[in-house]
Amino acid sequence: MPSADQLKERIEAALPGAVVRVEDLTGGGDHFRAEVVSGRFDGLSRIEQHQLVYGVFGDEVGGAIHALSIKTSTPGES
Amino acid sequence: MTNAEIHEFLEKAIGENNVMLFMKGTPEEPRCGFSLRTSGALNELDVRYAALDVLPDPRIREELSAISGWPTIPQLFIDGELVGGCDIVMEMYETGELAEKLGVEMPEGKEPAAPEVELPAQSGPIPLENRLD
């Protein structure tokens, strides 16, 4: 079962320089919330920003990771 | 129904309905907190929308994600374009962007009425939909 720290590390590895905060909402390892601040989001639509983060986990979202709630912003916005 | 037929059906649903929501359960009986909040936002804005329950056949969700490139449910399409899942739709609802996109007035003095997501008290590794009939 994934942990919030593992998710954080994987997002950070995929988006170098990103500031990432991941919370396990239930403590059950399947409902997470991730807040990601990254320069990579510059110029992307919200959909594309979220897809970048979902893309880190592929099929695991909806599977082992039942729910991943995402909030994205760029360094300028936050 | 074959996967190809489901795929074609979904593309048609997205193309023919200006506001198309794919959700778990129905607007009357949502089966997941995220779907509840998303359909709740549309209800608050008093717009007509089509909704399809993805739960009856797992292939609906597989084919939908193949079309949209989006892994989770709900998914809201407006004018044939994926707008987002629960997080994006709620954010757009709160900023008034959703009302604007739908060409409706934001209800006056209304806070988002959809309740906070109620998470299952005990959540195991089994995806929720597999526990449902």
Side-chain angles (χ1 to χ4, degrees), chain A residues 10 15 19-20 29-30 32 40 44 50 52 56 60 71 75:
Chain A
R10 288 175 62 187
L15 303 171
V19 179
V20 184
D30 59 358
F32 294 95
R40 280 279 301 279
L44 299 184
H50 286 218
L52 258 188
V56 176
E60 290 167 73
K71 184 165 175 60

Side-chain angles (χ1 to χ4, degrees), chain B residues 60-114:
Chain B
I60 300 174
R61 186 176 169 159
E62 287 164 24
E63 292 301 326
L64 179 63
S65 290
I67 291 169
S68 63
W70 194 258
T72 54
I73 303 293
Q75 295 184 23
L76 177 67
F77 289 78
I78 299 178
D79 296 330
E81 294 275 324
L82 176 67
V83 169
C86 179
D87 295 323
I88 291 179
V89 171
M90 292 316 293
E91 200 178 315
M92 288 176 70
Y93 174 78
E94 280 158 29
T95 59
E97 221 175 307
L98 185 63
E100 196 181 324
K101 198 170 175 69
L102 291 166
V104 296
E105 292 290 320
M106 186 74 172
E108 246 176 76
K110 281 232 175 119
E111 289 296 312

Side-chain angles (χ1 to χ4, degrees), chain A residues 1 25-33 46-48 50-51 54-55 58 61-72, chain B residues 24 32 34 61 68-72 82-85 87-88 91-92 95 97 119-121 123-129 131:
Chain A
M1 206 174 289
L25 294 173
T26 57
D30 59 358
H31 285 73
F32 294 95
R33 176 177 172 79
R46 227 170 339 206
I47 285 272
E48 290 165 337
H50 286 218
Q51 270 166 339
Y54 278 135
V61 174
I65 304 168
H66 172 68
L68 175 62
S69 172
I70 299 174
K71 184 165 175 60
T72 53
Chain B
K24 292 184 181 176
C32 167
F34 299 103
R61 186 176 169 159
S68 63
W70 194 258
T72 54
L82 176 67
V83 169
D87 295 323
I88 291 179
E91 200 178 315
M92 288 176 70
T95 59
E97 221 175 307
L119 296 160
S123 43
I126 306 165
L128 280 179
E129 61 265 40
R131 292 186 219 144

Side-chain angles (χ1 to χ4, degrees), chain B residues 6-99:
Chain B
I6 292 174
H7 194 98
E8 196 181 325
F9 173 83
L10 293 172
E11 284 192 329
K12 209 167 154 213
I14 293 166
E16 287 179 356
N17 296 285
N18 292 346
V19 187
M20 180 73 223
L21 177 66
F22 296 93
M23 64 185 292
K24 292 184 181 176
T26 62
E28 293 75 31
E29 277 187 66
R31 305 287 289 267
C32 167
F34 299 103
S35 289
L36 167 74
R37 296 183 77 197
T38 308
S39 62
L42 292 174
N43 294 343
E44 282 298 309
L45 294 176
D46 203 17
V47 287
R48 267 176 64 88
Y49 64 99
L52 182 79
D53 183 0
V54 303
L55 291 175
D57 189 328
R59 293 177 302 169
I60 300 174
R61 186 176 169 159
E62 287 164 24
E63 292 301 326
L64 179 63
S65 290
I67 291 169
S68 63
W70 194 258
T72 54
I73 303 293
Q75 295 184 23
L76 177 67
F77 289 78
I78 299 178
D79 296 330
E81 294 275 324
L82 176 67
V83 169
C86 179
D87 295 323
I88 291 179
V89 171
M90 292 316 293
E91 200 178 315
M92 288 176 70
Y93 174 78
E94 280 158 29
T95 59
E97 221 175 307
L98 185 63

